[in-house]
Amino acid sequence: MPAQPRSPSGRPYVVAHTAVALDGATTGFEPDQGLFYRLAAGWNEDVTLAGADTILAQEPALAAAPRPGPAEDGPLLAVVDGRARVREWAALRELGHWSGVLALHAEATPPRPADRSVPELVAGAERVDLAAALRALGEREGVETVRVDSGGALTGALLTAGLLDEVSLLVHPCLPAEPTAHRWHGSAAAARFTLVESRPLDGGLVWLRYRPAD
Ligand SMILES: NC(=O)c1ccc[n+]([C@@H]2O[C@H](COP(=O)([O-])OP(=O)(O)OC[C@H]3O[C@@H](n4cnc5c(N)ncnc54)[C@H](OP(=O)(O)O)[C@@H]3O)[C@@H](O)[C@H]2O)c1
């Protein structure tokens, strides 16, 4: 994919790339992870922006995961963690996917252990101010593109705030095994979208890319 334009506000280009079942569910089915990450690689993101619940869902597996060390040329992992719930910062840093980790907090975020080694960015009073956090990320050298990794809540908050430049859905031809509350969603802030790509893929999957309409 060619380099993406910055928004007029100066923040980086922000894309949410999500694997979904036919009903929009983001959990309760087996996404094609290999395909998901091959497509994601096209954005060559400078920052992976994840929600705390997305990271917490991985924490049990993280404890036993190999730790080759930070990926020198990898993106930065920034985690929206308004309630300081994420614990496995060292494992995330050493996982080999990211060059480093950054905790995004608000002023009301509970106190953190004094010996915690993760750098912090504090933006917002009660919750993380997502616009301010993205602006601050965009001021870091080399940060042009942010890829959002979210099961729906963070994507929804960004959509509602008009902070998403692209919605990418990898649609799987299945339904979740159990009813789930996790769906990709957003409210009416950007109600209309322009289709920029629609690609049928093996196994009945479809890749859809939309930009909010002007
Ligand atoms: N299918 C996929 O592509 C995919 C991708 C990623 C994850 N997942 C799955 O999705 C699940 C997690 O998704 P989720 O939707 O529960 O959570 P999520 O996307 O990880 O988002 C939760 C985070 O968003 C923050 N947030 C929500 N609204 C906000 C607002 N208005 N202002 C500031 N911050 C806000 C929350 O802040 P606080 O910290 O303040 O609560 C929390 O940190 C996991 O099971 C994971 O495995 C699926």
Side-chain angles (χ1 to χ4, degrees):
M1 264 166 260
Q4 311 294 343
R6 277 185 166 243
S7 86
S9 71
R11 68 164 165 75
Y13 187 85
V14 184
V15 50
H17 177 54
T18 311
V20 294
L22 278 184
D23 62 350
T26 59
T27 61
F29 68 103
E30 285 293 326
D32 185 332
Q33 298 277 6
L35 179 58
F36 180 86
Y37 285 107
R38 278 199 299 285
L39 295 175
W43 286 285
N44 196 20
E45 81 238 33
D46 306 301
V47 174
T48 312
L49 181 68
D53 295 276
T54 292
I55 298 299
L56 290 172
Q58 299 170 27
E59 281 204 337
L62 275 177
R67 297 187 183 190
E72 203 176 311
D73 298 327
L76 172 74
L77 172 67
V79 183
V80 177
D81 189 16
R83 289 174 275 165
R85 291 176 292 153
V86 173
R87 292 279 176 273
E88 298 288 346
W89 293 106
L92 289 164
R93 186 189 302 109
E94 304 291 319
L95 207 53
H97 296 331
W98 294 289
S99 55
V101 290
L102 177 68
L104 304 183
H105 293 317
E107 282 159 25
T109 298
R112 282 77 76 188
D115 60 352
R116 204 177 71 151
S117 63
V118 61
E120 299 183 357
L121 193 161
V122 177
E126 294 302 315
R127 298 195 89 171
V128 174
D129 180 331
L130 299 171
L134 283 169
R135 271 198 308 276
L137 287 169
E139 284 165 9
R140 297 167 79 106
E141 197 180 334
V143 174
E144 298 291 335
T145 303
V146 173
R147 181 178 66 81
V148 179
D149 193 13
S150 158
L154 179 60
T155 300
L158 291 164
L159 261 178
T160 302
L163 294 170
L164 272 191
D165 299 294
E166 181 174 338
V167 174
S168 162
L169 300 174
L170 181 58
V171 182
H172 291 62
C174 64
L175 291 171
E178 306 278 341
T180 172
H182 293 291
R183 286 198 163 67
W184 91 275
H185 64 264
S187 71
R192 302 285 308 171
F193 294 84
T194 303
L195 182 68
V196 291
E197 184 161 2
S198 155
R199 195 189 298 179
L201 298 161
D202 286 350
L205 281 75
V206 181
W207 186 29
L208 299 171
R209 297 176 57 205
Y210 290 96
R211 299 218 169 105
D214 295 330

